[in-house]
């Protein structure tokens, strides 16, 4: 039997709240949290199941979750804040910021190409981790990681094709840390966490279960829970090292997509699709999909790592948003379907207040 914890503050009518609850309750095997909002107003937030099954700790509205590849979208926001501060240029050659990087490719690569996975830089970190799982979680100094995993010959001319390569983000992180003079975790705190008043967000390293307030990632729950950690070394923090809670994720989405946290030019850059066949912009996707019976343009972000899965969607025109986290290896397709049903429900006529 599922254990549900409803949020204390919701803006939905009782009928709408029941509709949301029924949708979450029907998602067999779901363990995590679901949030629906209109702009900054939370319509529903519902927690289901265990954050830490062995210790009997339930999921609550402030439970922290790994975001997986949504870390790339967060990293793009950090880069664009530095662009707004005139410290970075999306279209300058990487060699301007990393003169010690491989000279021939450094002159051809830009942050825009790296952040849209259109650089041609091969995913050597993935190949290395697949060949030797023992290196997962092994720390390296950032430029050492760049030289080892992100300095290969380009697979194609930058901007001509798309390849989802974690190695891109090793170079971006090296640039950001070199220009700012700060470790990425401290930069996240300075540029995002403190200005936005985020209470449950930051960068973890290694096994995220060692971070206070974090959910544990599981391969399965049940009578004998099986953990599924996938340690993230600090040099991969931009690719998958960000953690947050559902309310904090909403606050970030509202500030960036519905507010003035970024300049108009940087917000446009974040949402401009660079690779149309993949709907890929900078660090995330922008798609037009049917929502509530009409085609709508959405910021579209998905992430996974170890036992964690997440989906975040926001309709750009009016701020209808859904955020769903799971920490028990829930099928990502089913998680997307759950998110879609909740977002559709936010447009149902019975929600008029």
């Amino acid at each position: 039997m599922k254990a549900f914890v409803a949020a204390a503050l919701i803006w939905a009518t009782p009928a709408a709240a029941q509709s949301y609850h029924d949708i979450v309750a029907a998602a067999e095997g779901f363990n995590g949290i679901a949030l629906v909002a209109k702009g900054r107003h939370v319509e529903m937030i519902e927690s289901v199941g265990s954050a830490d099954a062995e210790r009997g700790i339930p999921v609550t509205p402030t439970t922290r979750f790994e975001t997986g590849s949504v870390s790339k979208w967060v990293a793009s926001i950090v880069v664009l804040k530095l662009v707004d501060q005139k410290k970075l240029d999306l279209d300058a050659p990487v060699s301007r910021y990393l003169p010690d990087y491989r000279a021939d490719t450094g002159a051809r690569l830009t942050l825009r190409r790296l952040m849209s996975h259109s650089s041609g830089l091969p995913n050597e970190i993935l190949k290395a981790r697949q060949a030797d799982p023992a290196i997962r979680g092994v720390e390296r100094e950032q430029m050492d990681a760049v030289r080892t995993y992100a300095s290969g010959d380009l697979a194609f001319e930058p901007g001509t094709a798309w390849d989802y390569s974690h190695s891109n983000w090793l170079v971006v992180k090296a640039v950001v840390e070199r220009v700012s003079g700060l470790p990425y975790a401290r930069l996240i705190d300075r540029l995002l966490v403190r200005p936005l008043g985020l209470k449950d967000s930051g960068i973890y390293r290694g096994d995220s279960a060692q971070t206070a307030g974090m959910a544990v990632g599981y391969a399965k729950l049940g009578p004998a829970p099986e953990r599924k950690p996938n340690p993230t070394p600090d040099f991969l923090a931009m690719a998958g090292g960000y953690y947050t809670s559902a309310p904090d994720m909403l606050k970030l989405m509202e500030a960036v997509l519905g507010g003035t946290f970024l300049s108009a030019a940087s917000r446009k850059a974040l949402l401009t699709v660079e690779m149309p066949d993949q709907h890929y912009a900078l660090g995330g996707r922008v798609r037009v999909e049917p929502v509530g019976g009409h085609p709508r343009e959405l910021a579209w972000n998905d992430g996974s790592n170890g036992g964690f899965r997440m989906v975040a969607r926001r309709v750009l025109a009016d701020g209808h948003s859904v955020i769903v986290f799971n920490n028990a290896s829930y099928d990502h397709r089913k998680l997307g379907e759950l998110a879609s049903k909740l977002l559709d429900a936010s447009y149902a006529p019975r929600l008029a207040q």
Side-chain angles (χ1 to χ4, degrees):
M1 182 176 180
K2 294 181 180 179
F4 291 88
V5 180
L9 176 64
I10 57 174
W11 291 70
T13 63
Q18 185 63 49
S19 175
Y20 291 136
H21 173 83
D22 291 346
I23 291 169
V24 175
E28 185 177 356
F30 176 72
N31 186 96
I33 192 163
L35 179 151
V36 180
K38 294 180 180 179
R40 63 185 179 87
H41 298 307
V42 176
E43 284 273 305
M44 178 278 294
I45 182 168
E46 194 153 347
S47 309
V48 183
S50 299
D52 186 328
E54 293 96 331
R55 294 195 293 165
I57 299 174
V59 176
T60 72
T62 58
T63 296
R64 300 169 173 183
F65 292 82
E66 293 185 23
T67 66
S69 287
V70 177
S71 300
K72 299 174 178 67
W73 188 72
V74 175
S76 297
I77 296 166
V78 170
V79 170
L80 289 167
K81 286 297 288 185
L82 294 175
V83 170
D84 285 343
Q85 294 174 4
K86 311 299 183 186
K87 295 179 179 178
L88 289 175
D89 182 334
L90 292 180
D91 298 308
V94 164
S95 56
R96 174 187 296 183
Y97 308 111
L98 298 176
D100 47 340
Y101 184 61
R102 177 175 167 171
D104 57 342
T105 52
R108 297 160 67 194
L109 297 180
T110 66
L111 290 169
R112 191 186 302 276
R113 292 291 142 236
L114 292 164
M115 293 159 62
S116 60
H117 291 280
S118 60
S119 69
L121 198 63
N123 199 353
E124 293 183 346
I125 178 62
L126 178 62
K127 292 177 183 177
R129 287 158 69 95
Q130 289 175 337
D132 182 7
I135 71 169
R136 296 171 182 266
V138 174
E139 293 287 355
R140 286 180 179 264
E141 187 273 330
Q142 195 66 34
M143 281 305 298
D144 179 40
V146 167
R147 286 187 289 270
T148 304
Y149 302 125
S151 297
D153 294 338
L154 299 185
F156 51 82
E157 185 64 24
T160 64
W162 189 84
D163 179 39
Y164 194 75
S165 171
H166 289 355
S167 295
N168 287 313
W169 297 93
L170 274 62
V171 180
V172 177
K173 184 171 181 285
V175 168
V176 163
E177 292 186 330
R178 184 74 60 86
V179 167
S180 68
L182 292 172
Y184 182 57
R186 284 182 60 192
L187 197 61
I188 282 278
D189 185 65
R190 176 175 292 187
L191 294 184
L192 296 187
V193 172
R194 282 189 280 168
L196 294 177
L198 305 181
K199 298 179 180 179
D200 297 293
S201 303
I203 298 297
Y204 73 92
R205 62 194 302 171
D207 184 353
S208 68
Q210 305 304 311
T211 301
M214 283 285 295
V216 175
Y218 293 97
K220 64 177 182 179
L221 290 170
E226 180 184 332
R227 292 195 177 202
K228 189 180 181 181
N230 187 24
T232 301
D234 184 65
F235 69 81
L236 270 171
M238 277 191 170
Y242 186 73
Y243 69 84
T244 194
S245 65
D248 271 10
M249 187 67 195
L250 176 65
K251 188 176 289 188
L252 178 61
M253 291 167 65
E254 174 66 15
V256 171
L257 301 176
T260 58
F261 187 70
L262 294 177
S263 69
S266 285
R267 182 180 182 276
K268 181 179 179 181
L270 181 70
L271 297 172
T272 296
V273 172
E274 298 287 341
M275 305 305 292
D277 59 330
Q278 295 291 331
H279 311 283
Y280 209 86
L282 298 183
R285 289 180 165 84
V286 177
R287 302 173 63 115
V288 175
E289 295 288 336
V291 178
H294 297 279
R296 306 180 197 269
E297 187 178 40
L298 301 99
W300 185 281
N301 289 299
D302 298 76
S304 67
N305 187 51
F308 291 91
R309 309 284 185 271
M310 80 160 291
V311 169
R313 310 271 189 265
R314 183 182 176 96
V315 178
L316 296 176
D318 59 20
H320 282 233
S321 302
V322 61
I323 297 163
V324 186
F325 287 101
N326 177 271
N327 63 315
S329 300
Y330 197 63
D331 181 85
H332 219 130
R333 179 183 58 81
K334 292 181 179 179
L335 199 69
E337 291 173 352
L338 171 59
S340 294
K341 290 176 182 178
L342 290 170
L343 197 55
D344 281 341
S346 74
Y347 287 95
R350 64 178 176 276
L351 300 190
Q353 300 193 29

